[in-house]
Amino acid sequence: MKTGTEITIRAQGDLSGISPADWDACACPEAAEGGRPDDPFTTYRFLKALEDSGSVGPGTGWQAQYLTAEAGGQIIACAPLYAKSHSQGEYVFDHAWGDAYGRAGGRYYPKLQMAVPFTPVTGRRFLTRPGWVDTGRAALVQGAVQIAENNALSSLHVTFCTRGEAEAGAKMGLMQRTGQQFHWENEGYADFDAFLAALSARKRKAIRKERRVAQDFGGQITQLTGDAIEPHHWDAVWRFYQDTGARKWGRPYLTRAFFDIAQDTLRDDILLILAQRGGEPVAGAVNFIGASALYGRYWGCAEDHPCLHFELCYYQAIDYALRRGLARVEAGAQGGHKLARGYLPVPTYSLHWIRDTGFAEAVAEYLHAEAEAVEQDIEILTSYGPFRKTLKEDQQ
């Protein structure tokens, strides 16, 4: 921790005023020598793709206020911060808070959101250079709260932060919230069959059947990354994404231009899994590759085929993770159906600050009860997981 150093906080409306080197020195210092970032979503190139494609910015309800902390003439910490005019694309739901605050005569929007837009993936939100963690984190919290105070904004929300950040934020007076997702953990399995061997016989048979049914759709399944991904692949992905977005959210969050930019700047971070028949994609899943994890993000299809969603989104992802020695697969938000497929519940964390003290007290009471319920839910769901518990069970 650095002490006795003057810190300057700035909020910037676009990334053009921050160099990629300065941002990534805080966001992914582990990749400085050319390695893969732990978190591909907080890299300069990913956030810039969102900005340059118009997926965030004017008219989207996500107005950038990128936060930087400077000391001694260099950026020592930064954060993806946005002024929000709605609660869409966050996956940590506070719609009820907004409704309650409005009924009480308050104005909930705009609010501040420290997050990666449209990305329910746990990662650092207080991005700091090595050696500046405590100082940088404290400066970013103070800066974000001050912006909210100065502009009479209702609240600040730091979503999908790490557990360490959640604990540190709670000590700084922010309210901590707990949620859950389903992740697949690599317990050192040699291959997919070794993973299946860890499951109960019934679940093992069910997964093998699902994979046979899915792979019998009449075509081939391919995994593409880097230069193997070609521009025309994104035409199919865009069609799939539009269909899924229209059914789930009403309209897609990402623009078509995002996928063109992804081809230019992000394809080395992407694993594209396509089901093709006669050379034409009929379904696909977009994953992002981290240093130790694979992150499932977008899925869609032009045709319905039994179990193909499970194969492309879950089993193919596990196959890839096993071949690359990745520690886990994070398959996105929600989805209790993932449990039977080897994805177990894990806690997720967020931090919240509310300017109105009376409303903050009510939310804090709610969050305490919610955290207890989530903890119990995780314990119960884990006990119902697909993994073997006894040899007798496996022989049934």
Side-chain angles (χ1 to χ4, degrees), residues 5-335:
T5 303
E6 182 177 336
I7 307 293
T8 302
I9 304 293
R10 290 189 174 87
Q12 305 192 45
D14 59 67
L15 279 171
S16 61
I18 307 169
S19 77
D22 281 338
W23 185 277
D24 285 345
C26 301
C28 53
E30 70 280 356
E33 302 300 322
R36 191 176 289 283
D38 291 333
D39 180 356
F41 303 107
T42 54
T43 60
Y44 188 95
R45 57 184 176 270
F46 183 86
L47 296 172
K48 195 71 162 62
L50 291 178
E51 183 180 299
D52 288 349
S53 67
S55 300
V56 301
T60 68
W62 291 81
Q63 190 60 49
Q65 297 291 318
Y66 304 107
L67 205 59
T68 61
E70 299 179 23
Q74 73 169 359
I75 292 176
I76 55 97
C78 55
L81 185 66
Y82 300 85
K84 292 292 306 297
S85 60
H86 53 64
S87 291
Q88 303 299 320
E90 297 168 8
Y91 303 93
V92 176
F93 302 114
D94 66 340
H95 301 89
W97 300 3
D99 290 343
Y101 198 58
R103 288 196 303 271
R107 183 185 178 194
Y108 195 68
Y109 304 103
K111 61 177 185 174
L112 286 182
Q113 194 83 19
M114 192 178 291
V116 178
F118 330 122
T119 308
V121 173
T122 293
R124 289 188 304 125
R125 296 295 172 258
F126 305 107
L127 311 174
T128 61
R129 285 182 186 265
W132 289 93
V133 174
D134 292 338
T135 302
R137 184 184 288 164
L140 292 173
V141 169
Q142 182 179 349
V145 170
Q146 193 65 54
I147 290 172
E149 287 273 23
N150 290 349
N151 292 278
L153 303 183
S154 70
S155 51
L156 164 69
H157 309 268
V158 183
T159 44
F160 292 101
C161 60
T162 66
R163 179 176 179 175
E165 288 178 325
E167 292 173 348
K171 292 178 181 177
M172 285 185 271
L174 304 182
M175 294 181 288
Q176 181 179 318
R177 189 176 191 183
T178 306
Q180 74 171 43
Q181 284 185 348
F182 293 85
H183 298 174
W184 178 84
E185 300 287 345
N186 186 352
E187 301 295 343
Y189 306 118
D191 51 28
F192 199 92
D193 284 339
F195 157 61
L196 289 180
L199 306 182
S200 68
R202 186 168 60 89
K203 295 300 185 184
R204 199 160 52 235
K205 291 175 183 176
I207 289 176
R208 283 175 173 154
K209 180 180 179 180
E210 282 188 346
R211 299 205 76 180
R212 286 195 302 269
V213 169
Q215 293 173 8
D216 194 33
F217 76 99
Q220 301 79 38
I221 296 173
T222 56
Q223 296 186 355
L224 308 172
T225 189
D227 291 341
I229 301 175
E230 299 181 13
H232 68 88
H233 290 132
W234 297 111
D235 294 331
V237 169
W238 174 243
R239 292 196 302 272
F240 302 153
Y241 178 72
Q242 279 187 301
D243 177 69
T244 301
R247 285 185 286 107
K248 285 190 173 183
W249 316 303
R251 69 175 182 85
Y253 293 137
L254 301 174
T255 66
R256 179 63 179 86
F258 174 85
F259 296 100
D260 292 331
I261 296 171
Q263 173 65 19
D264 292 336
T265 65
L266 297 172
R267 64 180 183 271
D268 288 339
D269 300 318
I270 291 173
L271 169 67
L272 178 59
I273 303 173
L274 290 177
Q276 302 182 85
R277 189 177 61 247
E280 289 296 319
V282 299
V286 178
N287 302 263
F288 279 76
I289 310 166
S292 60
L294 184 69
Y295 303 97
R297 291 303 304 116
Y298 316 116
W299 143 267
C301 61
E303 301 174 359
D304 290 326
H305 292 277
C307 303
L308 196 56
H309 172 261
F310 302 143
E311 176 65 22
L312 266 60
C313 293
Y314 307 142
Y315 304 140
Q316 288 284 324
I318 291 173
D319 272 334
Y320 183 88
L322 286 167
R323 290 199 311 274
R324 296 304 178 99
L326 300 179
R328 68 188 184 280
V329 177
E330 298 189 18
Q334 306 172 354

